[in-house]
Amino acid sequence: MAAQVEIEDQASVTNLDNGEIFDSLSDDADSSSSFSKTDSLILLGEGNPEHDVIKTCLLSGMGVVSSDTTIVTIRKNSSEGITTRAKFLSFRIFTDAVARKHGGDANVKYGWYAGSKDEIQSIISYGFSNRDVGKFENDGCSHGIGIHLVPSKCSLLAASATEPDEEGLRYLLLCRLILGKPELIVSGSKQSYPSSAEFDSGVDDLHNPRNYVIWSCNMNSFILPSYIVSFRSPRLRVSRGGFAARPSSPWVSFAALMSMLSKSMDPSRMNLIIRTYDDFQKRKIRRDQLVRKMREVAGDNLLAEIIKNHRDKNKVKN
């Protein structure tokens, strides 16, 4: 398996994008984009240094599904336009401020944010909002209340929280983050702002973080949406609150799981799951919220037993 590649370790993209807020870039995005055409999005083609670094980074972190993952497009959020240029300039001002606070190092990193096509388009156009707070914690438990992203080398964690659209495309937003001095946020924490003026952000592990937390008070100051990646990964499955360490085969669909649960649960609990699943189908709730509710109502032991029996039956058939 290829080693995980972190964008910060690759000088090419860092050097290219350090001056991006002052670069004059032409918009060559094609009209067939899954996103509505905006002046700030630039299609990066194969052979473009930024495209190739981001592609390598994403695929190297996809683990066992990397061979089945195909990058479709990579689009850069440029500084064209008055509003987007202001956002880039604002990010630089906050970077300089945090750097002065910590002796010259703002600790700027790259992180993945998972969302639907519409969610990411909204973030590009208007910034993060309160509805984005608390999504996609990478172990199903809260590490504080804020915007959760994962390090660039851990792309599988973010990719597993995505849902394919009608064309089978999934979307990730690669952002630049001002971490400053992060503090440790334990699992289950409901912390929503720095514990003191000494800290600027949160992480789940100080030495090997898999979860970056940018507090909501800083979400549109310390996060700069930089690249949108669309990709296909047929073997990717979602589990445990939206993140999966590896794909499962055979996979149990929600519909099949519902059918098997109905044989093992009392009507009142089953009706609660059915109503939650109906809300999911109507897009009233996210997939990770459905998974959590199923785990809460059915219990992990029952779910694990059902999935194991399903797999055993499939092994016998094969």
Side-chain angles (χ1 to χ4, degrees):
M1 184 185 302
Q4 291 176 314
V5 175
E6 195 155 19
I7 285 184
E8 288 82 0
D9 297 334
Q10 302 187 69
S12 53
V13 75
T14 304
N15 292 337
L16 280 167
D17 124 313
N18 274 345
E20 69 181 349
I21 64 172
F22 298 113
D23 291 342
S24 176
L25 299 169
S26 60
D27 189 347
D28 58 358
D30 62 72
S31 59
S32 63
S33 167
S34 296
F35 286 85
S36 60
K37 186 175 180 180
T38 68
D39 292 336
S40 65
L41 292 181
I42 298 171
L43 179 67
L44 303 179
E46 290 277 358
N48 176 283
E50 291 170 273
H51 175 284
D52 293 348
V53 167
I54 294 168
K55 177 180 178 179
T56 298
C57 174
L58 188 146
L59 293 179
S60 70
M62 291 295 285
V64 294
V65 299
S66 60
S67 60
D68 296 311
T69 301
T70 304
I71 307 297
V72 179
T73 61
I74 299 177
R75 285 180 164 77
K76 179 177 180 178
N77 189 21
S78 81
S79 59
E80 291 296 297
I82 295 175
T83 302
T84 53
R85 186 174 181 82
K87 292 177 182 178
F88 279 91
L89 289 170
S90 175
F91 184 81
R92 172 159 288 187
I93 291 170
F94 277 99
T95 300
D96 291 343
V98 175
R100 288 196 299 271
K101 176 182 175 182
H102 296 294
D105 183 10
N107 193 16
V108 176
K109 299 289 187 181
Y110 279 90
W112 296 107
Y113 181 85
S116 68
K117 177 176 62 178
D118 292 339
E119 287 170 339
I120 290 179
Q121 181 64 69
S122 177
I123 291 168
I124 291 292
S125 299
Y126 308 111
F128 288 92
S129 67
N130 289 333
R131 70 185 300 272
D132 303 312
V133 171
K135 289 176 58 179
F136 308 127
E137 298 94 341
N138 70 17
D139 60 1
C141 297
S142 169
H143 285 272
I145 301 172
I147 303 296
H148 291 256
L149 306 97
V150 299
S152 59
K153 67 178 180 180
C154 301
S155 51
L156 178 60
L157 290 176
S160 297
T162 62
E163 294 183 41
D165 65 11
E166 61 278 1
E167 298 178 354
L169 288 174
R170 300 170 183 263
Y171 300 90
L172 285 174
L173 181 61
L174 182 62
C175 303
R176 291 170 71 186
L177 317 171
I178 303 172
L179 292 184
K181 183 174 182 179
E183 61 182 303
L184 180 65
I185 308 298
V186 299
S187 177
S189 171
K190 299 301 181 183
Q191 182 175 332
S192 59
Y193 50 82
S195 62
S196 75
E198 177 185 3
F199 301 108
D200 306 286
S201 63
V203 292
D204 62 332
D205 187 306
L206 290 173
H207 303 292
N208 186 31
R210 291 159 63 87
N211 195 339
Y212 295 144
V213 184
I214 303 297
W215 306 118
S216 57
C217 57
N218 295 323
M219 61 186 175
N220 288 312
S221 305
F222 284 19
I223 306 177
L224 181 65
S226 300
Y227 301 92
I228 301 169
V229 181
S230 64
F231 65 100
R232 289 188 175 91
S233 190
R235 294 175 60 203
L236 199 58
R237 301 300 183 212
V238 177
S239 67
R240 293 204 63 191
F243 287 93
R246 60 180 63 245
S248 58
S249 179
W251 177 57
V252 184
S253 68
F254 277 125
L257 185 58
M258 296 279 287
S259 175
M260 290 181 280
L261 280 172
S262 66
K263 301 173 183 177
S264 305
M265 294 181 61
D266 60 78
S268 61
R269 289 194 299 159
M270 193 63 217
N271 285 336
L272 179 56
I273 290 181
I274 290 173
R275 288 196 300 270
T276 306
Y277 182 60
D278 185 57
D279 287 342
F280 169 71
Q281 290 184 308
K282 293 177 180 177
R283 297 188 176 276
K284 292 182 178 180
I285 63 172
R286 303 187 304 270
R287 182 187 290 262
D288 61 306
Q289 293 174 309
L290 170 62
V291 172
R292 289 182 192 179
K293 178 57 70 172
M294 293 182 75
R295 292 179 63 196
E296 176 187 322
V297 176
D300 288 346
N301 291 337
L302 176 59
L303 290 171
E305 181 182 352
I306 288 175
I307 293 172
K308 181 179 181 299
N309 291 338
H310 177 77
R311 289 175 177 169
D312 290 344
K313 289 179 181 178
N314 275 273
K315 287 180 181 178
V316 171
K317 291 179 181 179
N318 294 332

